[in-house]
Amino acid sequence: MNLDILIPDYVRSFQVYTPSRPDHLLMQEYGTPLLHRLNNNENPLGPPPAAASVIAAFSPARAAIYPSGDSYDLCAALGERFGISPDRFLVGNGSCEVISSVIKAFCQPGDNIITADKTFAVYEWVAGFSGIEARLVPLLDYAFDPQGMLDRIDRKTKILFVCNPNNPTGSCWTNQVLIDFLEKAGEERIVVVDEAYREYVEDPGFPDTIALMDRFPNLVVFRTFSKMYALAGLRCGYLAGTAEVVDMVRRTSVAYSVNVQAQQAALAALSDDAGHIAATRALVKEGKMFLRGVCNNLGLETVGGEGNFLMIKTPINDMLMYRRLMKRGMMVRTMTGFRFPGWIRVSLREMAVMESFAGALEDEIRSIRK
Ligand SMILES: Cc1ncc(COP(=O)(O)O)c(C=O)c1O
């Protein structure tokens, strides 16, 4: 078989993403009896109580039956929550799946998408292995640069992706910045706002993106049950847009990709989120203040805003810092892959874990500076 003639160049040249190995292997390799995951911005409180009950009560017999192919009940509940029609939602196997569906729906080789250079990389990756150019605009003061993105638009630009709040810097566009951007971007292209961390945002100036769709029908928003709702392991995310846009994107998405337990748990999570969101925000706020203080005392620069994570500049290579911290049972995210060499990103967790992390970081920094 001659794979060379079968595989498009843009697939052959794409560098595959290597996920981290299972915890039990990492613990063995680094010789640590416990491992705190501070690498994926997961919620340590777990899902809201109603979702936890649904998961615990899941009947094995139900596993034999296919789920709703279009997450019917979940779309109905989302429609009710946001006061719009259920056909304006498309649920995916994590919001990563809907990223892929949107790019497939609007782009063909030769087209381009525009996003930032230091943001969630999946927009760039899906474009890359689909033969679509990803135009990466440098962040401005750690935030998405609206004018920089507008300047890169040409007639082949199909989608602009804005991560709001931005992973990993936590920067946010306010309602006014987004409106100005949408006005200037024009209706001939799609503007996607990825709000994976929106439930963490406390700033009252944060946009109400679903309301803005009445004025800007080219606006699409992504959300997920992985972060605030702590259902990352079940994989459930969604997009919202106008009925016409969603109808187009649905054509490129795989029906039945969202499993029944994910649909049930997400539905329950939505019905029971107020106390959960408040408790999670309080935990994140406390962890962020604490960790910022620790870093200040150590003379380490931090970058963070909204979201359950904080970036820390390390005095050594980020991979070396990762290895040192792993030996102490602390798994952080290296930032070289996000084009922030020398930085790590730390997920904010409950204080007991934050204190252990701070102890490990302080020891390592002292030993590096000795
Ligand atoms: C900005 C952003 N968007 C989307 C995702 C993907 O989330 P999901 O688990 O829904 O695929 C993540 C996950 O880290 C993220 O940080």
Side-chain angles (χ1 to χ4, degrees):
M1 181 173 62
N2 185 354
L3 273 182
D4 282 352
I5 57 165
L6 280 176
I7 306 290
D9 281 347
Y10 52 81
V11 173
R12 199 199 336 265
S13 60
F14 186 77
Q15 215 184 345
V16 80
Y17 172 73
T18 316
S20 62
R21 272 164 302 141
D23 288 10
H24 65 97
L25 293 181
L26 291 170
M27 284 156 77
Q28 219 172 41
E29 179 180 343
Y30 287 94
T32 175
L34 90 177
L35 191 59
H36 290 298
R37 300 175 61 92
L38 305 171
N39 61 326
N40 274 344
N41 304 338
E42 291 147 347
N43 184 345
L45 295 183
S53 305
V54 161
I55 294 166
F58 187 74
S59 148
R62 186 63 187 84
I65 313 296
Y66 278 99
S68 160
D70 58 358
S71 303
Y72 188 91
D73 290 337
L74 181 54
C75 288
L78 288 166
E80 203 159 301
R81 162 63 67 98
F82 297 110
I84 57 175
S85 163
D87 63 0
R88 294 186 53 189
F89 296 94
L90 177 69
V91 181
N93 189 267
S95 54
C96 280
E97 190 180 48
V98 298
I99 297 174
S100 192
S101 302
V102 168
I103 291 182
K104 276 188 222 135
F106 291 102
C107 303
Q108 53 190 330
D111 289 339
N112 67 70
I113 64 145
I114 300 178
T115 187
D117 61 342
K118 293 167 178 156
T119 186
F120 187 59
V122 175
Y123 327 122
E124 173 190 342
W125 291 343
V126 175
F129 62 61
S130 308
I132 291 141
E133 182 194 357
R135 299 187 168 178
L136 305 180
V137 176
L139 293 184
L140 191 60
D141 199 16
Y142 296 108
F144 268 65
D145 173 9
Q147 192 55 50
M149 292 179 74
L150 293 167
D151 289 345
R152 299 296 308 277
I153 292 177
D154 66 16
R155 60 189 180 80
K156 291 284 192 184
T157 302
K158 293 292 180 67
I159 313 175
L160 298 116
F161 285 94
V162 180
C163 188
N164 204 39
N166 187 31
N167 171 13
T169 59
S171 63
C172 279
W173 279 6
T174 60
N175 194 44
Q176 199 49 55
V177 172
L178 180 60
I179 288 174
D180 288 349
F181 182 77
L182 286 160
E183 274 171 352
K184 290 178 186 151
E187 280 190 8
E188 297 76 38
R189 47 203 64 88
I190 296 292
V191 173
V192 170
V193 181
D194 183 346
E195 297 185 337
Y197 297 93
R198 87 157 281 136
E199 296 86 0
Y200 288 92
V201 176
E202 310 227 19
D203 181 353
F206 194 73
D208 178 349
T209 32
I210 291 184
L212 285 176
M213 285 170 196
D214 291 340
R215 196 167 144 198
F216 300 103
N218 57 327
L219 176 60
V220 170
V221 59
F222 293 165
R223 298 205 180 141
T224 182
F225 287 96
S226 296
K227 305 298 179 185
M228 175 59 83
Y229 291 97
L231 296 175
L234 294 185
R235 315 300 301 126
C236 191
Y238 63 96
L239 65 76
T242 64
E244 292 75 16
V245 165
V246 173
D247 177 51
M248 288 300 155
V249 180
R250 204 182 298 285
R251 293 161 200 237
T252 63
S253 71
V254 179
Y256 298 99
S257 71
V258 186
N259 72 72
V260 65
Q261 198 177 32
Q263 292 185 33
Q264 289 179 356
L267 189 62
L270 266 188
S271 73
D272 179 31
D273 57 355
H276 174 80
I277 291 176
T280 306
R281 283 183 178 177
L283 174 146
V284 165
K285 200 175 204 169
E286 191 180 16
K288 202 177 285 181
M289 264 177 54
F290 170 76
L291 197 53
R292 273 211 179 108
V294 168
C295 292
N296 273 345
N297 291 341
L298 290 170
L300 300 179
E301 194 183 335
T302 59
V303 168
E306 305 284 3
N308 60 340
F309 45 85
L310 189 69
M311 281 175 59
I312 303 174
K313 189 156 178 25
T314 78
I316 56 170
N317 171 289
D318 46 339
M319 193 61 206
L320 293 178
M321 183 54 105
Y322 166 90
R323 291 203 188 110
R324 281 172 172 253
L325 291 168
M326 278 297 279
K327 287 189 190 146
R328 313 190 54 132
M330 300 290 160
M331 187 176 185
V332 299
R333 171 72 64 175
T334 56
M335 287 280 97
T336 294
F338 278 74
R339 303 190 176 91
F340 274 115
W343 291 76
I344 54 172
R345 190 194 64 201
V346 181
S347 304
L348 300 165
R349 301 196 44 146
E350 65 277 32
M351 279 308 287
V353 175
M354 290 288 85
E355 280 163 6
S356 307
F357 173 74
L361 183 68
E362 278 160 358
D363 287 351
E364 292 306 326
I365 295 291
R366 265 188 222 110
S367 107
I368 290 163
R369 286 178 177 157
K370 238 195 259 162

